Amino acid sequence: MPTPFAAHEQRLNRAVLRHLANASAQVGEGGSFPVLFQRELEQPFGLAVDVASYTCAFEAQSAPSLAEGDRLTIEGVTYIVATAPVPDVSGWLSVRVYPEA
Amino acid sequence: MLALSTPIKDRLAALTELSGWSVRTGTETVDRRVFPAADVRVVGANVTDSKAGAAMVAPEWSVTLVVKRSDAAASQIDSAFAAVFKSLHNWKPGQQGERGWEPLRLARVQEPLFDDSGVVGCELIFSTGARYMGQD
């Protein structure tokens, strides 16, 4: 059975990275790959605290064995993967990370 | 109702277990990105006895303890929790401002949350009360 939209999804993912990637990441000593890296203000405990919240999105095949708790180096800074890396059906993955230090 | 804000903050800031912490109130303009932190604020109030002429107002004081996630986070929170409880539970503020306040009592606890943004927070809520006078 033909699945034409699956091919579109793949092309869209590659196009997003090609045009919108704003950082590079690597896992351990592996090669670097492009990612969409975002930081925004979050207040996880109401008005008591302000924290910088980080999201990193990329093609899951760039880091196929990534797991929660792993270290991801983004632009030379080491982050901890805070959420389970579950990509969508197109293979696009978005994870929350926080600085290790 | 906020008369205990600074006395509670000062009491916690003097704790050895909170040495190096940013101890701050909800009414201050301060950088809230600094950790570890203890935040003190009123989170509500009950009126336990309202009669003609006076009412007993019982505010709830929240102490939110926040540290960065790490292997030491659980023990940091545990140590700070115990110290805050020991310092505030049954503490008698006495006369503060225009009225006398009942001893603080721990009312409930929000269990420690390990947030995805990289912080761990735990909230202790203490209750107290004081009589407010109205019109005769």
Side-chain angles (χ1 to χ4, degrees), chain A residues 8-96:
Chain A
H8 291 315
E9 286 179 329
Q10 299 296 316
R11 279 198 294 274
L12 181 60
N13 288 346
R14 288 193 295 271
V16 165
L17 282 175
R18 193 163 57 245
H19 294 290
L20 299 179
N22 62 349
S24 64
Q26 66 182 116
V27 180
E29 299 301 317
S32 63
F33 51 91
V35 301
L36 273 61
F37 192 46
Q38 174 69 320
R39 178 180 60 219
E40 58 188 355
L41 173 67
E42 190 172 298
Q43 296 176 317
F45 303 108
L47 299 175
V49 299
D50 298 327
V51 295
S53 170
Y54 298 88
T55 304
C56 186
F58 49 93
E59 288 190 297
Q61 64 186 18
S62 297
S65 59
L66 191 70
E68 183 177 343
D70 281 353
R71 283 162 176 74
L72 193 60
T73 302
I74 305 169
E75 293 297 307
V77 179
T78 302
Y79 297 82
I80 305 296
V81 177
T83 53
V86 179
D88 67 20
V89 292
S90 77
W92 188 255
L93 176 61
S94 180
V95 290
R96 294 279 303 274

Side-chain angles (χ1 to χ4, degrees), chain A residues 42 44-45 47-53 82-83 96-99 101, chain B residues 24 32-33 35 39 41 66 68-69 113 115-121:
Chain A
E42 190 172 298
F45 303 108
L47 299 175
V49 299
D50 298 327
V51 295
S53 170
T83 53
R96 294 279 303 274
V97 298
Y98 61 86
Chain B
R24 57 213 188 201
R32 297 185 186 280
R33 297 170 298 174
F35 305 104
D39 176 273
R41 64 183 63 223
V66 186
K68 287 188 177 180
R69 284 184 74 163
L113 298 174
D115 190 74
D116 293 341
S117 60
V119 293
V120 182

Side-chain angles (χ1 to χ4, degrees), chain B residues 8-120:
Chain B
I8 293 175
K9 172 193 171 180
D10 290 346
R11 192 170 176 84
L12 296 182
L15 293 175
T16 304
E17 292 84 351
L18 299 190
S19 174
W21 286 51
S22 171
V23 182
R24 57 213 188 201
T25 70
T27 58
E28 293 179 272
T29 300
V30 64
D31 189 347
R32 297 185 186 280
R33 297 170 298 174
V34 178
F35 305 104
D39 176 273
V40 178
R41 64 183 63 223
V42 171
V43 292
N46 299 307
V47 180
T48 58
D49 183 23
S50 182
K51 292 185 170 62
M56 196 70 178
V57 178
E60 291 193 323
W61 285 93
S62 164
V63 178
T64 303
L65 305 172
V66 186
V67 304
K68 287 188 177 180
R69 284 184 74 163
S70 71
D71 291 341
S75 64
Q76 270 187 299
I77 288 289
D78 193 65
S79 174
F81 181 102
V84 169
F85 176 86
K86 186 174 182 180
S87 175
L88 295 184
H89 186 72
N90 208 38
W91 171 54
K92 302 172 182 60
Q95 192 74 18
Q96 300 284 345
E98 298 178 357
R99 67 201 83 254
W101 291 92
E102 294 185 337
L104 269 67
R105 297 282 162 74
L106 183 66
R108 61 184 181 280
V109 176
Q110 173 68 48
E111 75 278 12
L113 298 174
F114 287 69
D115 190 74
D116 293 341
S117 60
V119 293
V120 182

